[in-house]
Amino acid sequence: MPYVTLMNGRQMPVLGLGTWKSKPGEVHEAVKAAVRHGYRHIDCAAIYGNEAEVGRALAELFAEGTVTRDEVWVTSKLWSTHHAAADVPKALSKSLQDLRLDYLDLYLIHWPTAGNPPGNPGQVLTPSTEETWSAMEELVHAGKCRSIGVSNFSAKKLAAMKAHATIFPAVNQVELHPMWRQDALLRVCAELGTHVTAYSPLGSPDSVAIFRHQGSALMECAAVKAIAATTGRSAAQVLIRWALQRGTSVVPKSVHAGRIASNFDVLSWSLTDEQMAQLSAITPQTRLLHGGYWVSEKGPYKTLA
């Protein structure tokens, strides 16, 4: 398994299992299948509502000797209703309890917002990102998180953290795929030393009903299908490999053992420069999981920037 070295020297596996939208009764077996197949990175979040099931699977894997705790990278995320400084350690403690762990490898601020959508009223984000981030930094000092980062942060919001962060975000996890390449964000993250993890690399076809987006079209895109046919790979494998070759880590989600195995089979082959260019030329560029429900004329965010 290849690893990326984060700015703090920690090494994170570049391919992980996503768990968003994994239904009760499914994620337990998905995690066990993934780890047994070679995955060493599990991406979780409190708001997904399934961390207890993930934790049960991890405990069983540790007990049977499949892996040790140090061999598995576990990420979780802080939900927006727990951004007050006093609430941050409580939220982490709940995730650790559910996951049956003593520490997280990576803890992310899930969204740069406060409260549930549409967020807090008023012109100022309350609690502020500075308040929340300072509490996150304390978790590192307490040994509860080995790395901390953010998710869904724009280049503007990430760069603004330079003014107050004493530990800068090691990771920014964002939507990333050929229909939403985020080239400018990747450049800014590289300049700041923040690694980028790609979520929904397959276009999140199972969230079409939630967000009414066109993500299901990604794997049906002519360029994707043609490259899959040429390489003898699946469309999903082509998209995951594209993400890896761009230098990002990637966390595709599946609860099917066969797809979990197939999604992992992307480490021993490469796309050509021409194939990478074809995938990177797909238009139009469309953000699927846009976060527009946080935008409000009565709140601190008037745009998605």
Side-chain angles (χ1 to χ4, degrees):
M1 166 68 73
Y3 291 76
V4 60
T5 301
L6 304 179
M7 64 168 64
N8 59 4
R10 300 283 184 186
Q11 291 193 309
M12 182 175 75
V14 297
L15 179 58
L17 177 74
T19 59
W20 181 40
K21 303 183 306 301
S22 295
K23 298 176 183 178
E26 294 180 338
V27 73
H28 170 265
E29 292 304 317
V31 169
K32 294 184 75 171
V35 173
R36 286 170 177 163
H37 196 78
Y39 286 76
R40 294 295 181 266
H41 178 168
I42 308 297
D43 183 71
C44 311
I47 196 65
Y48 298 168
N50 56 18
E51 287 192 325
E53 199 168 322
V54 173
R56 181 163 62 90
L58 291 173
E60 291 171 6
L61 289 163
F62 299 154
E64 69 189 25
T66 301
V67 286
T68 63
R69 172 64 185 96
D70 288 344
E71 292 174 321
V72 180
W73 179 283
V74 181
T75 297
S76 187
K77 307 178 191 77
L78 174 74
W79 187 242
S80 303
T81 52
H82 295 84
H83 279 195
D87 292 337
V88 172
K90 296 175 185 176
L92 173 65
S93 293
K94 179 64 165 63
S95 282
L96 289 176
Q97 178 182 343
D98 286 345
L99 292 167
R100 306 190 192 189
L101 301 176
D102 296 323
Y103 67 89
L104 287 177
D105 296 280
L106 178 63
Y107 199 34
L108 307 176
I109 295 179
H110 205 148
W111 285 88
T113 54
N116 285 316
N120 67 271
Q123 301 305 303
V124 179
L125 183 66
T126 307
S128 66
T129 299
E130 181 175 359
E131 176 182 337
T132 306
W133 189 251
S134 179
M136 296 278 285
E137 292 174 332
E138 288 302 314
L139 301 178
V140 177
H141 299 318
K144 295 296 185 179
C145 302
R146 294 188 168 178
S147 301
I148 51 176
V150 296
S151 182
N152 299 301
F153 270 54
S154 65
K156 177 182 176 181
K157 292 180 176 66
L158 181 64
M161 295 181 69
K162 293 291 288 186
H164 61 79
T166 60
I167 302 174
F168 202 71
V171 171
N172 187 12
Q173 186 181 124
V174 297
E175 177 189 344
L176 205 65
H177 45 73
M179 286 178 62
W180 190 241
R181 293 188 303 272
Q182 303 240 54
D183 295 332
L185 178 62
L186 283 175
R187 287 193 295 270
V188 170
C189 287
E191 292 168 1
L192 294 170
T194 298
H195 175 73
V196 174
T197 295
Y199 73 69
S200 297
L202 311 183
S204 192
D206 56 353
S207 70
V208 170
I210 302 173
F211 292 94
R212 302 183 186 278
H213 61 63
Q214 301 299 313
S216 57
L218 179 57
M219 287 197 286
E220 296 300 318
C221 177
V224 175
K225 293 177 73 173
I227 293 169
T230 299
T231 57
R233 303 288 176 172
S234 69
Q237 288 174 323
V238 167
L239 293 168
I240 295 167
R241 184 66 210 179
W242 176 86
L244 292 173
Q245 284 185 220
R246 295 182 87 212
T248 66
S249 50
V250 59
V251 287
K253 171 257 176 179
S254 181
V255 295
H256 303 284
R259 292 178 193 164
I260 289 170
S262 178
N263 290 347
F264 192 79
D265 185 17
V266 293
L267 303 174
S268 61
W269 56 277
S270 299
L271 296 168
T272 66
D273 290 345
E274 181 181 1
Q275 290 166 339
M276 288 292 294
Q278 289 171 351
L279 293 169
S280 296
I282 290 175
T283 57
Q285 286 292 288
T286 306
R287 186 177 180 182
L288 306 176
L289 311 175
H290 51 72
Y293 36 77
W294 300 104
V295 175
S296 170
E297 286 298 321
K298 298 180 180 180
Y301 294 135
K302 307 298 187 291
T303 71
L304 292 173

